[in-house]
Amino acid sequence: VSVSRAIKPFAEPGRPPDWFSQKHCASQYSELLETTETPKRKRGEKGEVVETVEDVIVRKLTAERVEELKKIIKETQEKYRQLKRDAELIQAGHMDNRLEELCNEIMM
């Protein structure tokens, strides 16, 4: 219950209402555990930190999210550059013949 309630504020748009139900969260976690390789235990000194399955899952999901965010940033930067170029062309008067078409695109 606490996990599904805690992550609900981070919902992405378009998720179904039952996405954060206890049952769905448990099935997703179970699937993650099944698909993640169990780290091999190493013999070593006492007090040595041994990586757990949970650590592997966190590292994997963090890396995936970082890649997603990098992709979103790249797309946003490209969109910004395109809009900036369009604004400069409009201000210079080079797109006067397309202004009506651009206005219609913006309205849509």
Side-chain angles (χ1 to χ4, degrees):
V1 177
S2 61
V3 172
S4 61
R5 199 175 295 140
I7 63 175
K8 197 167 191 167
F10 303 104
E12 297 169 349
R15 294 283 184 200
D18 65 340
W19 182 259
F20 294 105
S21 69
Q22 295 175 22
K23 185 177 180 182
H24 192 264
C25 285
S27 68
Q28 291 285 15
Y29 183 70
S30 173
E31 184 180 326
L32 277 173
L33 287 176
E34 290 172 6
T35 59
T36 304
E37 292 182 27
T38 306
K40 295 182 181 178
R41 297 194 179 252
K42 300 175 184 175
R43 291 187 182 194
E45 300 175 17
K46 286 187 177 181
E48 183 180 337
V49 178
V50 178
E51 189 174 53
T52 63
V53 176
E54 290 83 4
D55 294 333
V56 173
I57 291 172
V58 167
R59 192 175 63 250
K60 176 185 167 190
L61 293 177
T62 301
E64 286 177 9
R65 184 63 179 156
V66 166
E67 289 303 314
E68 287 175 11
L69 292 173
K70 284 181 182 178
K71 182 180 175 185
I72 290 170
I73 289 170
K74 188 176 180 180
E75 290 171 356
T76 304
Q77 287 174 335
E78 183 57 39
K79 186 175 180 178
Y80 170 78
R81 284 188 206 104
Q82 180 62 43
L83 290 172
K84 188 174 179 181
R85 279 192 299 263
D86 289 349
E88 289 170 356
L89 289 172
I90 290 170
Q91 288 176 346
H94 296 295
M95 296 189 70
D96 289 345
N97 57 345
R98 290 196 55 221
L99 283 179
E100 195 171 318
E101 181 184 328
L102 290 172
C103 284
N104 290 335
E105 285 180 21
I106 292 170
M107 293 295 190
M108 289 174 146

